[in-house]
Amino acid sequence: MRDVILVLNAGSSSLEFSVFPFNASETAGVRGQIEALSTEPRFVARDADGKIIGQKAWPSGTRLGHEESIEFLLTWGGQGPLEGCRIVAVGHRVVHGGVRFTGPVLIDCKILAEIEALVSLAPLHQPHNIAAIRAAARHAPKLPQVACFDTSFHLTQPAVAQTFALPRRYTEQGIRRYGFHGLSCEYIASVLPAFDSQAAAGRTIVAHLGNGASMCALRAGQSIATTMGFTAVDGLVMGTRCGALDPGVVLHLISQERLSVAECEDLLYHKSGLLGISDISGDMRTLLGSHDPRAKEAVALFVYRVGRELGSLTAALEGLDALVFTGGIGENAASIRARICRGSAWLGLELDEAANERGGPGIAQPDSPVAAWVIATDEERVIADHTRRILEDRSSRTGGTVHCEN
């Protein structure tokens, strides 16, 4: 019987999964996802070489949900690629850990209640992370589950980078800059020495660019500033999220446009960003393939905001040794990388156009004062590593029951 770790990343309408051998030296053996959980679910799984090993589509109108999705995954796996394997733990990506969670934790009822108390800080993600934890617990109440938080990596930031200019009582209540995409940044920081030892020991900005997007300033591998703040709606322009916004706009929407709090939340999280600007799509691939002037305006604003934040984070670092692109857009959109790098020439970054078109990994000229890299992120690997370490701690093995009442 082969021991494996199941990693789950639950979104509002999707469930991504990976299966890692318990042996730390091995990579994920199976990866996949179920999309459109509540409308027209579609499942696909691939092996370590990227070969499709499982597919399924449900009829339109099917509402699968997280619990049914997890049941399907475990049944499918047990009858196929996971036959002869024993799942010894489940690792979860949990978006918000507040000030309480400084690192990964073994989940029990008390921990789960504390995670639930943070839902208002990440309403787009946290409820679905919790749904996956509860679903896995109902399936196997005694199976250890580990929560890995996107915010924990950024707790190394100095106090001045975390503080809003609000009355102190609000800061003491936890209203502060947290930062997100920490698991992605943690992975990049862990592998960067293999690409660029000087940058790894020095000053690097990680641009995690995707449907959700943020940038993080690293000094010697530790986060010292990031574009996201109290929630994951702050910072860069994203697929459907607005990014940085004058708070007065929200006050105007409430007082003059008579939007409710729920309507404002829906607007800022689901109807803004690239989708709102273009009125076409929140998907960068669609916008890059469009000749519509509105699509071009959306792309231009995305690139402009990245350039603005790049300058801000460079100031926080007091210089820059390397820029790293990751995430769906960062890894795959050569034209976006090129525009950002060309706009960063003032920093000393000299783009190698041919290398960029090839996808890197190095995309700066050999003698460029500032290096530039394309590095695929692997948040799931970070979660698996954390889960493995917690299981290896014998003091943790006796806890971890998450069979709690809803």
Side-chain angles (χ1 to χ4, degrees):
M1 188 69 70
R2 193 180 188 207
D3 290 349
V4 297
I5 295 170
L6 173 63
V7 173
L8 297 177
N9 184 350
S12 59
S13 61
S14 65
L15 180 70
E16 298 178 9
F17 71 94
S18 301
V19 179
F20 286 81
F22 193 78
N23 185 331
S25 66
E26 298 183 47
T27 58
V30 181
R31 292 181 188 262
Q33 61 185 349
I34 304 178
E35 298 179 309
L37 296 183
S38 300
T39 55
E40 194 172 352
R42 301 180 301 276
F43 161 74
V44 63
R46 301 175 185 274
D47 63 15
D49 297 321
K51 179 183 176 182
I52 293 178
I53 57 174
Q55 284 182 296
K56 179 178 173 66
W58 286 261
S60 179
T62 302
R63 295 183 62 86
L64 200 58
H66 291 93
E67 184 164 4
E68 292 83 357
S69 297
I70 289 172
E71 288 289 345
F72 167 79
L73 286 178
L74 294 174
T75 300
W76 169 81
Q79 296 173 351
L82 299 186
E83 187 176 3
C85 294
R86 178 180 64 173
I87 298 174
V88 295
V90 181
H92 296 267
R93 177 194 179 213
V94 178
V95 167
H96 217 302
V99 295
R100 162 71 172 84
F101 297 107
T102 59
V105 294
L106 191 70
I107 304 170
D108 58 21
C109 292
K110 180 176 181 294
I111 293 294
L112 185 56
E114 293 182 42
I115 292 172
E116 288 183 313
L118 299 169
V119 164
S120 63
L121 302 185
L124 195 66
H125 301 88
Q126 202 90 342
H128 310 297
N129 303 155
I130 293 165
I133 294 170
R134 288 195 175 279
R138 282 190 287 269
H139 177 84
K142 295 185 179 180
L143 185 65
Q145 298 194 67
V146 174
C148 301
F149 301 94
D150 252 340
T151 49
S152 296
F153 182 74
H154 300 297
L155 293 176
T156 56
Q157 293 181 19
V160 69
Q162 300 182 41
T163 305
F164 291 116
L166 292 171
R168 284 183 175 273
R169 66 181 181 276
Y170 296 114
T171 303
E172 291 164 359
Q173 291 171 15
I175 297 178
R176 43 166 277 186
R177 291 188 178 278
Y178 289 98
F180 300 88
H181 291 133
L183 295 169
S184 176
C185 293
E186 182 177 354
Y187 177 79
I188 297 300
S190 72
V191 300
L192 187 56
F195 293 87
D196 189 333
S197 59
Q198 179 180 342
R203 302 161 299 184
T204 299
I205 292 174
V206 177
H208 179 109
L209 307 180
N211 185 55
S214 71
M215 298 169 71
C216 176
L218 301 179
R219 180 179 288 127
Q222 291 195 322
S223 174
I224 69 150
T226 183
T227 57
M228 282 183 170
F230 181 62
T231 67
V233 75
D234 194 14
L236 302 176
V237 173
M238 293 170 252
T240 63
R241 283 172 263 173
C242 63
L245 186 71
D246 181 343
V249 174
V250 180
L251 297 177
H252 174 84
L253 293 172
I254 293 171
S255 65
Q256 301 301 314
E257 299 294 324
R258 305 301 182 191
L259 267 62
S260 66
V261 172
E263 288 170 330
C264 278
E265 181 179 290
D266 184 49
L267 173 67
L268 302 181
Y269 277 94
H270 301 288
K271 297 177 179 177
S272 298
L274 295 173
L275 173 63
I277 304 161
S278 69
D279 203 26
I280 297 171
S281 174
D283 191 315
M284 182 62 80
R285 292 167 296 187
T286 299
L287 298 180
L288 288 173
S290 173
H291 297 293
D292 192 305
R294 298 171 300 169
K296 297 183 184 302
E297 289 173 4
V299 173
L301 183 57
F302 179 89
V303 172
Y304 172 76
R305 287 298 309 163
V306 171
R308 280 279 298 269
E309 294 294 347
L310 182 60
S312 174
L313 294 175
T314 299
L317 285 168
E318 300 179 338
L320 185 63
D321 296 311
L323 172 62
V324 176
F325 291 96
T326 194
I329 297 172
E331 295 169 25
N332 299 299
S335 65
I336 296 296
R337 293 195 303 263
R339 291 174 66 169
I340 292 169
C341 288
R342 290 177 197 135
S344 305
W346 65 277
L347 288 170
L349 200 166
E350 299 172 6
L351 178 66
D352 183 329
E353 300 279 357
N356 180 52
E357 286 297 323
R358 292 194 300 269
I363 61 171
Q365 295 288 349
D367 57 350
S368 175
V370 174
W373 300 94
V374 180
I375 302 176
T377 193
D378 194 345
E379 296 163 301
E380 290 77 17
R381 180 60 186 262
V382 174
I383 295 169
D385 289 344
H386 283 314
T387 301
R388 184 182 299 109
R389 282 193 288 270
I390 284 184
L391 252 66
E392 289 173 341
D393 179 358
R394 292 190 177 276
S395 65
S396 299
R397 287 181 181 272
T398 57
T401 298
V402 200
H403 192 52
C404 314
E405 294 297 326
N406 287 317

